Amino acid sequence: MTTPSPAIGAFWRAFSDAQASLQAQPLRERVGAANALIDQHLEGLALEMSGDDAVVDLIVTAHGSIERFPLLAQVVAAAPALPHYRVRAFRERTTQPDFPIGMEGFELATSEVLVALEQDGGQAALEIRFGREIPSDYQDHARNMAFIMLDHVLGEYDFAVKVGAVDFVGEPGDTHTPWVPLSQLPPVFDRYWTDTLGHTGHFPTGEAEWDGLELQFDCPIDEDGNELPADDIDSEDAPETGVVMVNTSANAVAMRADLAYALTVDLAVPDSDTLTAVQDLHEQAATLLQVPQLGILVLTLMRAGRRQALYYVSDEQLAKQTLAPLLLRDEAASLELKVAYDPAWSGYFEYAGYLSA
């Protein structure tokens, strides 16, 4: 795991030192004092507390900001033993999704917010309409309240990562589209995620299924942003062609919370012998990562004399250590290794999306 930063260590020391004074306060004041501590050390994170037992849940949240999720995970992983707290990552789904909230004199219940699910790449898009008349002065309030409700009903991680576009609509145009009250959405959402989108969460077994396509990159465009016809393009401006092979079996584990890091192994292939050696290296790397379920190879891209292999892994440092012996080979001398936090698997669906288009 990544070594925690000095700021994380300083926060947990301060929190541990303050435990006695925190315990002497009512829960509401305790939450405020705890957040004053984390604000001194870590930007963009907050603390919530849940429960009234001797040991309460201490929830670290980034309020849905994906950019802060890696920091959040590091904070939780570095938590010391705390006698009065169970440290948890992310605001979880409420156990009582049928609830109202109020804002500036206007109240709305989750049972009055209707949701329909559609596919948005690998994510689930949401169409939202209201099951009651919303006064024109409160339209913006109602939409803001719906977003707050979604965060509580689906949970912070699922709403931030698994949900794509969210559109508010009037009367439904398609009478066959099933609409469900937000208060009943969680089991419907989970079934859609697994049954319709195919994200079962189970690592694929047996031979992987692959599909390929040829794409053009850096296509010339006109001043309006439209792609130029082939007849209007000079040979020196011709778009570059690339060949992508997509592991469609990987869709089963797409966006799994423990496979959030996109690791790209990019190597030069100046000739056919090197290409064969690089293909072998990429495949061996896939085996080393997948056997312990540390990661999975999701696609390869041949472009501009280089072959890229994209893997999604659970632990950046452990994945690099696992692949280190392979990357000492002669054919890896041209290595460009890139890692990005990509819990929504945008690097995968950028290409996999073409297969279902």
Side-chain angles (χ1 to χ4, degrees), residues 40-240:
Q40 294 173 21
H41 300 280
L42 300 165
E43 183 180 353
L45 300 184
L47 298 173
E48 298 177 357
M49 296 184 190
S50 175
D52 53 7
D53 300 326
V55 179
V56 303
D57 289 327
L58 180 65
I59 300 158
V60 186
T61 173
H63 297 306
S65 174
I66 289 179
E67 294 77 13
R68 298 290 179 186
F69 283 7
L71 175 63
L72 186 158
Q74 292 169 26
V75 169
V76 172
L82 300 168
H84 301 293
Y85 301 97
R86 290 180 294 264
V87 181
R88 312 280 286 269
F90 304 112
R91 184 185 301 114
E92 297 181 350
R93 293 179 177 183
T94 177
T95 57
Q96 297 178 324
D98 192 352
F99 62 88
I101 62 172
M103 182 182 290
E104 298 185 20
F106 177 73
E107 185 172 281
L108 186 69
T110 52
S111 58
E112 298 170 326
V113 179
L114 306 179
V115 183
L117 297 167
E118 295 183 349
Q119 188 165 344
D120 181 13
Q123 296 171 304
L126 306 182
E127 284 197 344
I128 297 177
R129 63 185 179 92
F130 297 107
R132 51 169 275 207
E133 188 70 27
I134 305 295
S136 57
D137 292 348
Y138 289 100
Q139 291 285 337
D140 288 340
H141 285 316
R143 292 176 180 180
N144 290 335
M145 292 160 78
F147 274 101
I148 294 169
M149 290 171 164
L150 279 164
D151 181 82
H152 284 81
V153 169
L154 290 178
E156 178 179 3
Y157 189 90
D158 281 3
F159 183 40
V161 172
K162 295 182 177 182
V163 172
V166 178
D167 294 316
F168 290 88
V169 300
E171 288 302 310
D174 182 1
T175 57
H176 299 292
T177 299
W179 291 85
V180 61
L182 181 54
S183 56
Q184 301 172 23
L185 180 63
V188 175
F189 183 91
D190 292 343
R191 284 196 302 272
Y192 188 84
W193 189 252
T194 57
D195 298 348
T196 302
L197 299 183
H199 307 319
T200 64
H202 302 306
F203 257 85
T205 57
E207 287 293 319
E209 296 181 4
W210 291 81
D211 201 349
L213 61 157
E214 186 175 287
L215 296 175
Q216 291 185 325
F217 297 86
D218 301 327
C219 298
I221 57 175
D222 61 22
E223 58 186 14
D224 296 322
N226 300 313
E227 188 175 326
L228 290 174
D231 294 343
D232 296 343
I233 301 172
D234 296 331
S235 57
E236 62 268 20
D237 296 326
E240 176 192 329

